[in-house]
């Protein structure tokens, strides 16, 4: 996977991506990263790449020409026109499925905007994908580009070690990950759930599945609508609803569960 990033802050991208697992993958040659400083393509030669917005309003707009020249320089070097992702809060919201799809590409270009954005005309010419990473506003596209590259990278074969691949389960089957514990067995008076010390793998697996379901119910209930529950899952859900364990559900959670169990 070859990542190309067009940005006004290449050092931010380089520093972030050369750290930890993505840094190791670049060193191994599994990923490559090339940043393009849009400022180097300033038309006036003085480094200026922004101007006032037509129609008035706050802030500055990145001009079309420097962005377009940076892009043309890049495609010439690559020898093809890869997908170009423009990072914008107006885009489609990034998710695991989009990460999986983009991980199939050989080359990807990310375009990071700043200020009030980029002149629409160049976006119409070069952007193939408009992507947001969630419903909040950031100062620029660099962190979103790094978020996307991080999640795409972990799907590139060899990037994660076998041990690290285990973490892939975190979002499997639409359930959130169960809680984890390590030594000591008692920390500041708090015990590890006894089943985890029992050595009974079947019971451990069952407990973890139940905890995953419970966590998903508590923080992301809408994900449960897509989960295929088996008999034992349903038994757990009915016990929850009947207040048979230590868990207390809110009325809202109970009413959600009642509807879920009716399917
Ligand atoms: Cl992609 N860019 C900016 N500036 N803010 C965001 C975003 C992107 N995604 C969420 N907030």
């Amino acid at each position: 996977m070859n990542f190309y990033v067009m940005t006004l802050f290449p050092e931010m991208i380089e520093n972030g991506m050369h750290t930890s697992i993505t840094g190791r993958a670049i060193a191994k040659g599994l990923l490559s990263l090339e940043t393009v400083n849009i400022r180097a393509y300033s038309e006036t030669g003085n480094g200026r790449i922004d101007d006032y917005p037509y129609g008035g309003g706050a802030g500055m707009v990145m001009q079309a020409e420097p962005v377009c020249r940076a892009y043309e320089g890049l495609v010439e070097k690559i020898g093809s026109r890869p997908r170009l992702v423009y990072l914008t809060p107006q885009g489609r919201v990034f998710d695991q499925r989009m990460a999986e799809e983009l991980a199939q590409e050989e080359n990807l270009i990310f375009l990071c905007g700043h200020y009030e954005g980029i002149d629409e005309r160049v976006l119409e010419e070069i952007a193939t994908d408009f992507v947001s990473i969630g419903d909040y506003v950031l100062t620029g596209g660099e962190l979103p580009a790094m978020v996307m590259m991080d999640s795409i990278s972990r799907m590139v074969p060899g990037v994660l070690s076998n041990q690290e691949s285990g973490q892939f389960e975190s979002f499997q089957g639409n359930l959130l990950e169960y809680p984890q514990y390590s030594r000591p067995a008692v920390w500041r008076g708090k015990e590890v759930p006894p089943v985890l010390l029992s050595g009974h793998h079947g019971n451990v697996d069952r407990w973890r599945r139940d905890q995953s379901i419970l966590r998903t119910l508590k923080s992301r209930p809408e994900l449960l609508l897509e989960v295929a529950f088996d008999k034992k899952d349903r038994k757990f859900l009915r016990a929850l609803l009947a207040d048979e364990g230590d868990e207390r559900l809110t009325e809202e959670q109970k009413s959600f569960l009642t509807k879920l169990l009716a399917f």
Side-chain angles (χ1 to χ4, degrees):
M1 169 63 71
N2 306 306
F3 292 126
Y4 302 89
V5 185
M6 298 165 59
T7 171
L8 293 174
F9 302 96
E11 71 292 347
M12 183 175 175
I13 302 286
E14 297 279 352
N15 290 340
M17 291 297 289
H18 279 96
T19 304
S20 184
I21 293 174
T22 49
R24 184 184 68 193
I26 293 169
K28 277 194 189 173
L30 297 166
L31 306 176
S32 77
L33 172 69
E34 191 168 322
T35 54
V36 176
N37 191 341
I38 297 168
R39 201 173 295 286
Y41 293 84
S42 157
E43 263 187 291
T44 45
N46 63 357
R48 179 151 186 202
I49 48 76
D50 63 349
D51 208 333
Y52 294 97
Y54 278 119
M60 303 294 273
V61 174
M62 286 170 68
Q63 293 164 294
E65 188 61 20
V67 172
C68 200
R69 286 193 197 178
Y71 172 74
E72 282 163 354
L74 192 52
V75 295
E76 188 147 335
K77 185 164 185 180
I78 301 170
S80 66
R81 292 185 182 268
R83 284 171 78 170
L84 184 145
V85 176
Y86 175 52
L87 287 313
T88 167
Q90 279 81 50
R92 233 179 93 200
V93 178
F94 187 57
D95 61 11
Q96 189 65 27
R97 188 181 302 172
M98 210 189 294
E100 278 161 27
E101 195 219 318
L102 290 171
Q104 308 307 312
E105 302 288 330
E106 181 170 82
N107 301 298
L108 280 175
I109 305 178
F110 294 91
L111 172 58
C112 306
H114 256 266
Y115 317 115
E116 291 306 302
I118 300 181
D119 190 309
E120 192 69 20
R121 292 168 296 182
V122 67
L123 298 177
E124 288 170 0
E125 294 298 317
I126 70 176
T128 58
D129 300 79
F130 295 75
V131 181
S132 161
I133 61 162
D135 291 337
Y136 40 84
V137 182
L138 301 168
T139 57
E142 284 75 15
L143 287 170
M146 283 195 274
V147 165
M148 290 185 67
M149 289 188 283
D150 188 288
S151 67
I152 292 166
S153 295
R154 61 197 296 294
M155 269 163 309
V156 172
V159 167
L160 298 185
S161 67
N162 283 342
Q163 191 164 12
E164 288 157 354
S165 300
Q167 298 168 20
F168 202 45
E169 282 161 33
S170 322
F171 221 97
Q172 251 181 14
N174 260 309
L175 289 178
L176 302 182
E177 184 66 287
Y178 47 79
Q180 297 280 13
Y181 301 86
S182 184
R183 288 195 291 180
V186 182
W187 175 76
R188 297 197 181 190
K190 294 171 80 94
E191 287 176 18
V192 170
V195 61
L196 299 179
L197 309 177
S198 69
H200 191 302
H201 296 300
N203 288 353
V204 169
D205 289 347
R206 184 66 248 164
W207 181 86
R208 286 179 165 170
R209 171 106 182 152
D210 291 347
Q211 292 298 311
S212 285
I213 293 170
L214 185 59
R215 283 200 156 178
T216 311
L217 174 66
K218 287 184 168 177
S219 41
R220 300 288 307 280
E222 77 283 3
L223 294 178
L224 292 179
L225 298 169
E226 304 292 324
V227 176
F229 294 114
D230 64 17
K231 267 192 160 165
K232 288 181 175 171
D233 296 337
R234 292 176 161 275
K235 187 177 166 207
F236 172 70
L237 290 171
R238 280 195 303 273
L240 261 183
L241 204 47
D243 276 336
E244 283 169 15
D246 306 328
E247 294 295 338
R248 290 285 169 270
L249 301 184
T250 65
E251 286 311 311
E252 192 181 10
Q253 287 162 346
K254 284 184 186 173
S255 115
F256 181 84
L257 258 194
T258 307
K259 280 181 226 153
L260 197 66
L261 281 165
F263 281 107

